[in-house]
Amino acid sequence: MSSTNEETAKLIIDGKEYALPIRIGTEGNRAIDVSKLYAMTGHITLDDGFANTGPTMSMICYVDGENGVLRYRGYRVEELAERCDFTETAYLLIYGELPTGDQLEEFRTNIRVHTLLHEGMKRIFAGFPPQAHPMAILSAVVGALAIYDKDSADPVDPVQSELAIYRMLAKMPTITAFCYKQSIGQPFIYPQNKLTYCQNFLHMMFAVPSEQYRMPVDFVNALNVLLILHAEHGQNCSTSAVQMVGSSNVNLFSSISAGICALWGALHGGANEACIKMLEDIAADGRDLGKYVDRAKDPDDPFRLMGFGHRVYKNYDPRATIVKEICHRLVDKYAADDPLFELAQELEEVALSDPYFVERKLYPNVDFYSGIIYRIMGIPNNMFTALFALGRLPGWVAHWREMHLAPGKRIHRPRQLYTGHSEREFVPLIKR
Ligand code: SDX
């Protein structure tokens, strides 16, 4: 990983001066390297929510939150969304370069041959009640790959690690689609390896054994773009979880399972499902936008506008711009009578003209409009975050691989500042 420590930051504690290296990133972004702080000063840093802390240097993704810029390995996400296929983008994120034709075909073949699950895994799905949330099933079944594919469990063995990556990329669409089929009581549809990654997923989601499935090209293309837009975003909560868990040298599947669990939260990937629920509630409540905007602004009301705001973007999320454009096209063609897109645009307009949101630089994020597209494609609300996980998988894998390939890789083990009781005498139960 490239970095130069041409400058230092001076820290003075009790009159003594310490010099901490300043690392300078590719785009001039700067970091104070505190990796020797405790050894030098006996002090640790405190940083609620890691808003000011980077656990690593990375060459995978660049996000400029002030200007709404997102690049994967140096390529603008807008260009990749327009000109790339999802498996091509996955290759770029994981291996660092856009693949040649031969490299891409080899990558796709390595994935294709692993799309089936061990037949014994089907029993796991059957063990869940019908109303089980797909994200709970997804994390459990992905975790179970550590059992069925244990010959690719060693993350420091390059051969096993590469095999685990192919298996994970290959089986995620199958497992995700099986989660959906399980929830609606339909038979599992096996992957068809002659189909592309996106075609195969939609086929497994919506085909039934008794009918010929006609796959709308618009939906295949929309899914391809959505998966690319969701593919990577630096040290977000779920990617950070994948690295934290993976740093213990557990297998890739268990690390990805941890990422799925983190993504499920409504503050993170779960926001796409929560956003549609919010829009449905507003529509059912007389479309009283002002009431919900006021609630979102009320510090005593836990209600937040789902799909709004971002830790890093203090400008319009560039992904939301593209998702909104796809919404316009698909709503006009397939769901002109769907009130939610128009409601979402009205809500955006009301919020973005309100000083509360303007002052806090709260804009729609990638989750604000994505659910509207999934609805048009016939995907139920409770599957939206699973689609996010399907998209984010290459980013999780890329960071997991980058971490294991980094020289001097260590287990992630943060410190804490203890503020509890000092030592005290034990009190026997009889005296309490
Ligand atoms: C994703 O990190 C990533 O990169 C994530 C992601 C990715 O690709 O991996 O981009 C995907 O997770 C997008 C975010 C999806 N989540 C949501 O849409 C949920 C709603 N958003 C918020 O909960 C919030 O904006 C977060 C969680 C996204 C960010 O939270 P922060 O950075 O901790 O910000 P904060 O809660 O400290 O908010 C700062 C202020 C607060 O007001 P004050 O205390 O200053 O008065 O802004 C307010 C917050 O109350 N605020 C909101 C709000 N988001 C922030 N107020 C109303 N509605 C909101 N949505």
Side-chain angles (χ1 to χ4, degrees), residues 72-146:
Y72 298 166
R73 298 283 189 177
Y75 297 98
R76 289 171 52 248
V77 72
E78 294 86 347
E79 197 154 18
L80 297 171
E82 191 181 324
R83 304 176 66 180
C84 247
D85 152 279
F86 179 58
T87 50
E88 210 176 341
T89 306
Y91 185 102
L92 169 67
L93 286 168
I94 295 168
Y95 301 110
E97 297 297 336
L98 285 168
T100 63
D102 292 346
Q103 288 169 329
L104 183 54
E105 193 40 45
E106 184 188 7
F107 183 62
R108 285 171 173 165
T109 303
N110 285 327
I111 290 171
R112 231 176 257 132
V113 296
H114 292 291
T115 52
L116 286 171
L117 304 184
H118 186 291
E119 282 293 297
M121 295 189 80
K122 287 165 52 177
R123 288 194 293 270
I124 304 172
F125 293 90
F128 288 94
Q131 74 279 13
H133 196 287
M135 287 297 276
I137 305 173
L138 189 61
S139 61
V141 179
V142 166
L145 290 173

Side-chain angles (χ1 to χ4, degrees), residues 233 236-237 266-269 271 296 304-311 314 317 319 356-357 360 362 365-367 388 392:
H233 213 247
N236 56 84
C237 178
L267 294 184
H268 190 13
R304 289 286 173 274
L305 284 192
M306 289 291 110
F308 249 80
H310 200 278
R311 173 65 57 79
K314 301 308 171 191
D317 184 331
R319 301 168 296 178
Y356 171 94
F357 292 86
R360 290 167 179 77
L362 302 175
N365 58 52
V366 69
D367 291 319
F388 193 149
R392 184 49 52 89

Side-chain angles (χ1 to χ4, degrees), residues 42 56-57 108 138 206 279 301 306 345 363:
T56 185
M57 292 185 278
R108 285 171 173 165
L138 189 61
F206 298 115
L279 292 171
D301 188 331
M306 289 291 110
Q345 293 177 94
Y363 292 88

